[in-house]
Amino acid sequence: MSRKIRVIVVDDSALVRSLLSEIINRQRDMECIGTANDPLVAREMIREMNPDVITLDVEMPRMDGIDFLGRLMRLRPMPVVMISTLTERGAEVTMKALELGAIDFVAKPRVGLASGLNDLASQIVDKIRVAAVAQVRRVAPREASSAPHASDAGTAAPAAPTTLLGRLSTEKLICIGASTGGTEAIKEVLVHMPADSPGIVITQHMPPGFTTSFAARLNGLCQITVKEAVNGERILPGHAYIAPGGTQFHVARSGANYVAVVDDGPPVNRHKPSVEVLFKSAAAVVGRNAFGIMLTGMGNDGAAAMREMKDAGSYNYVQDEATCIVFGMPREAIAHGAADEVLPLGQIAPALVARLRGATDRLHHRI
């Protein structure tokens, strides 16, 4: 039997420490090797015990979780799962934690903590398992700022504003799917997209209450407008629409326009929102005018539908293994024969922009 995943729980609540320890120790493949009530205690435990994963509360005494995470990821990068509070501030801080290198997060309930955490037990341990095998990146001090940056693994600086498309931008649609590690990967793609890019629709696995902060954060960094999708709204060039957490998101046609459909459909592949739902609609509605992008994430959500997109005429990009936090969803997309190009994260947007620019040039020559 392989070695158990060794976890340290860092939380200022004795109840949360006890509950998380119990949940972890119930699993045959993991054990809680220690708990700490603040980051300074945790720092010593990490040095002495060398855990595989730590769970870290966002708001802590003496040194808050974000400050501690920033130092940890600069000096001793390791897999971290954040335990977040489901509040507006909690969501904003969680986005910062993911930017600093946390693998994933769990939103703990604000009331009924004991029953709520136990209801989340399978989600918690699944995220710990993913974190234990994820590729952790060392975060340089400059990356702690909120400005767009060129991270490692072959990324480039954000593109200068350019004119791309004209009429073509209303016909094309870019569809992005991601899960674990996806918030930063999506950012790396969007900050490179020029202001007049085609409409972009995005499904990132995320619970309710967090996609609002995610969209607002991206909107402040990008040349395009980034927002949560609203049911029935027209999908416009120069805009990116993110599936609201806890809903299903797909695209439909209304005359010559694409429109967003946001509904309370059932989970697909255990996810809500699901990449499968978005990509299936793109295959049916957008066809050869679609571009698909599959980014880092665990599992196989969206892989079969991305193949449907390709069969309908889309051109698809898949993130390569070296730059993924978790290679599950991209690997499955490749296995389904859905990829036209497999590229490092930093090369996806430039390749897409070059292809769009080439299509524009061909259109102008025909005219």
Side-chain angles (χ1 to χ4, degrees), residues 103-104 129-136 179-182 295-299 319-321 323-331:
I103 300 298
D104 211 334
R129 289 187 184 104
V130 171
V133 298
Q135 297 195 72
V136 179
S179 185
T180 312
L295 301 175
T296 174
M298 191 71 177
Q319 186 177 352
D320 73 352
E321 183 171 10
T323 61
C324 281
I325 299 296
V326 181
F327 190 51
M329 285 162 55
R331 178 190 287 117

Side-chain angles (χ1 to χ4, degrees), residues 17-201:
R17 293 197 303 275
S18 173
L19 290 168
L20 289 177
S21 300
E22 185 180 320
I23 289 167
I24 290 164
N25 287 329
R26 285 203 301 262
Q27 313 307 308
R28 296 180 62 184
D29 61 339
M30 62 183 68
E31 61 179 332
C32 179
I33 59 171
T35 66
N37 64 352
D38 73 48
L40 300 183
V41 174
R43 184 174 60 192
E44 297 307 313
M45 295 184 72
I46 290 167
R47 285 175 180 162
E48 293 173 12
M49 306 176 81
N50 194 28
D52 299 307
V53 179
I54 70 169
T55 71
L56 178 62
D57 189 11
V58 166
E59 296 175 351
M60 302 278 291
R62 294 215 281 174
M63 179 191 298
D64 72 35
I66 294 299
D67 286 344
F68 178 63
L69 177 67
R71 296 184 189 193
L72 183 69
M73 299 310 288
R74 287 195 300 272
L75 302 174
R76 190 185 178 130
M78 64 182 305
V80 177
V81 176
M82 302 300 295
I83 307 297
S84 306
T85 50
L86 189 53
T87 62
E88 184 175 345
R89 161 148 175 83
E92 291 171 358
V93 173
T94 299
M95 293 302 105
K96 181 66 174 177
L98 295 173
E99 180 181 359
L100 288 171
I103 300 298
D104 211 334
F105 69 95
V106 176
K108 65 183 175 186
R110 298 174 67 182
V111 295
L113 193 57
S115 60
L117 276 179
N118 277 310
D119 289 344
L120 292 169
S122 62
Q123 183 184 135
I124 292 166
V125 297
D126 282 349
K127 290 178 186 289
I128 290 172
R129 289 187 184 104
V130 171
V133 298
Q135 297 195 72
V136 179
R137 64 187 182 97
R138 183 180 294 274
V139 177
R142 64 184 173 83
E143 293 193 44
S145 74
S146 59
H149 62 269
S151 65
D152 39 17
T155 60
T162 54
T163 300
L164 262 187
L165 306 174
R167 196 178 82 201
L168 194 67
S169 66
T170 62
E171 301 169 4
K172 302 294 184 182
L173 195 66
I174 299 165
C175 308
I176 301 177
S179 185
T180 312
T183 56
E184 287 303 289
I186 289 167
K187 181 184 81 172
E188 287 289 350
V189 173
L190 295 191
V191 297
H192 290 76
M193 298 306 296
D196 60 349
S197 70
I200 302 172
V201 289

